[in-house]
Amino acid sequence: MSERVRRIGRLRSTVRQTILLPSGRAAARVLSPIDRALQPGANLFNRFLGSYVGEVTGLQLGLLVAALVALATVPTWAPLFVGNYMRTLAVACIWSIFAMGWDIQSGYTGYISFGHSALSAAAGYTTALLAVTLSPVPSFWVTIPVSILAALVLGLLIGLPSLRLSGPYFSLVTFVAVLLFYRLTIGFSETLGGENGFQAVEVFTWDFTERYYLMLVPMLLVAAALTVVARSNVGTVLVAIRENERAVSAAGLDPTKFKLWSFALSSITMGIGGVLLAHFGGNVDPATFVVVDRSIEMIAMAVIGGMSSVLGPIGGAFLFVLLRDEILRLWFGHSTRWVMLWLLVLLVLVFARNGLFRWIWHAVGAVGGDRE
């Protein structure tokens, strides 16, 4: 095993020395003038928002603006590509919320959860049950807050006992929680719909453009809120818990309180995503919401983008969903795409442990002296 690890290390070093460093220096020479030109705008951004969301270089600000413009103008360019990219990008917005929700808890505290799909399922199933049991069906203004509250309640029920555990036991508890939720949907099929679930949830709209923006706006709001939290003193404590929980306790802080707060925030985020997913397609079933595969996909998105960075999971989610639903499906077909997708995730784990988008962000920042 140790010899294999050394081989992987040598291969990673070879790639860095022969490919990444020379190409990075060449890119820096090209991008430095652009960074200097954008720096006045970055200085203004840092003056008013830097203390809340982190300081940026000129090139990083340009990258953020370009990404926002690309997202805002999707209806103008998505139809140019073969495939249903409008729908796929709307789905990617929802999964970005899931990935961010998982990351603010597991990525920042280091307590890895395998059961976050149960939290989004709690919101989705609450939405469905309200739709099929109440007449007339309550408005969105009623069902959405109640469904998010259901996710929060389940999160507290899982977090209160499990976050006092250490090592792998927390992960095992969350894993069992999602398995239990799945079995409940089957065992109480008359109430929870069984394998087929519910198809009676009202869809926000069937207009592709409107539906995309209804998914995009909440994603951006969630990203902004979580970025502020991650950059605050609370975010610092969460990272400290991941690095050395005993030191946090020695400093007079209660790690369990902060972990529970993080889990509650994560549950609310998952509830928002669960509600959006339920109203996106109108169906709520175990395969879409509950099964542990959904939790693993959330983890993969955060890993691809870069854990403990709000922007990383967004990039990872968009890349993962685009590969899964469009690019790899077109190239390799329905079944083989999964093999290729998880091979790509494995390669990221081996060669880019900090995530692709986190690496890109710091590489861009290094052109002008990364301030993050």
Side-chain angles (χ1 to χ4, degrees):
M1 179 64 72
S2 59
E3 179 60 28
R4 182 179 301 178
V5 171
R6 285 194 292 271
R7 289 178 182 176
I8 293 174
R10 287 196 294 268
L11 178 59
R12 190 184 296 126
S13 177
T14 300
V15 171
R16 186 186 301 112
Q17 293 294 331
T18 59
I19 299 176
L20 296 182
L21 290 179
S23 60
R25 285 191 289 267
R29 287 194 294 270
V30 175
L31 296 175
S32 289
I34 301 175
D35 178 76
R36 288 193 294 271
L38 295 175
Q39 193 56 48
N43 292 336
L44 191 64
F45 178 92
N46 295 335
R47 179 182 176 183
F48 291 100
L49 297 175
S51 60
Y52 299 103
V53 299
E55 294 188 353
V56 297
T57 65
L59 209 55
Q60 286 175 329
L61 180 63
L63 184 62
L64 280 177
V65 172
L68 288 174
V69 170
L71 290 173
T73 58
V74 160
T76 63
W77 55 263
L80 302 177
F81 295 89
V82 176
N84 193 4
Y85 276 86
M86 280 291 292
R87 182 187 184 281
T88 301
L89 291 171
V91 171
C93 290
I94 300 173
W95 279 95
S96 295
I97 295 175
F98 289 152
M100 287 187 288
W102 181 89
D103 185 65
I104 197 64
Q105 192 278 315
S106 295
Y108 276 85
T109 67
Y111 278 70
I112 305 300
S113 168
F114 292 105
H116 262 53
S117 59
L119 302 177
S120 58
Y125 271 85
T126 300
T127 299
L129 287 171
L130 291 173
V132 300
T133 58
L134 298 182
S135 182
V137 177
S139 69
F140 292 138
W141 299 107
V142 175
T143 60
I144 290 176
V146 171
S147 299
I148 295 172
L149 179 62
L152 174 60
V153 170
L154 180 60
L156 292 175
L157 290 175
I158 296 172
L160 280 171
S162 63
L163 286 170
R164 298 182 182 276
L165 304 174
S166 60
Y169 299 105
F170 169 79
S171 299
L172 289 173
V173 169
T174 59
F175 184 76
V176 170
V178 74
L179 295 180
L180 179 60
F181 197 118
Y182 175 75
R183 289 303 170 186
L184 287 174
T185 63
I186 305 302
F188 294 88
S189 58
E190 293 184 0
T191 303
L192 298 177
E195 290 282 2
N196 295 324
F198 302 98
Q199 285 78 40
V201 179
E202 183 181 357
V203 175
F204 284 136
T205 176
W206 289 108
D207 181 88
F208 287 128
T209 301
E210 291 181 6
R211 189 163 58 166
Y212 168 74
Y213 285 116
L214 284 172
M215 304 302 123
L216 175 66
V217 172
M219 182 203 77
L220 294 177
L221 293 175
V222 168
L226 293 182
T227 299
V228 172
V229 172
R231 290 287 180 177
S232 69
N233 292 334
V234 173
T236 302
V237 174
L238 296 180
V239 173
I241 290 172
R242 183 189 67 203
E243 299 300 327
N244 192 334
E245 188 169 343
R246 290 184 178 179
V248 174
S249 298
L253 299 175
D254 183 1
T256 302
K257 181 179 72 174
F258 283 93
K259 289 184 292 183
L260 187 60
W261 194 93
S262 173
F263 205 89
L265 180 60
S266 177
S267 300
I268 293 172
T269 305
M270 298 303 297
I272 294 171
V275 168
L276 292 177
L277 186 58
H279 287 295
F280 179 82
N283 63 296
V284 177
D285 56 78
T288 304
F289 280 85
V290 186
V291 293
V292 73
D293 303 49
R294 303 292 85 82
S295 293
I296 301 301
E297 289 175 2
M298 297 171 197
I299 297 172
M301 293 171 188
V303 168
I304 290 173
M307 293 193 298
S308 68
S309 66
V310 175
L311 296 180
I314 295 177
F318 271 82
L319 179 59
F320 189 96
V321 173
L322 284 170
L323 289 172
R324 181 190 67 188
D325 295 351
E326 295 292 344
I327 299 172
L328 294 181
R329 183 178 61 83
L330 179 65
W331 291 355
F332 298 101
H334 180 75
S335 299
T336 310
R337 62 173 173 160
W338 289 105
V339 177
M340 303 307 299
L341 181 59
W342 290 111
L343 281 175
L344 289 173
V345 173
L346 183 61
L347 288 174
V348 172
L349 284 171
V350 173
F351 294 104
R353 293 180 182 177
N354 291 328
L356 294 177
F357 290 90
R358 191 182 181 92
W359 175 80
I360 291 172
W361 179 257
H362 286 288
V364 168
V367 172
D370 194 343
R371 293 172 171 77
E372 192 171 19

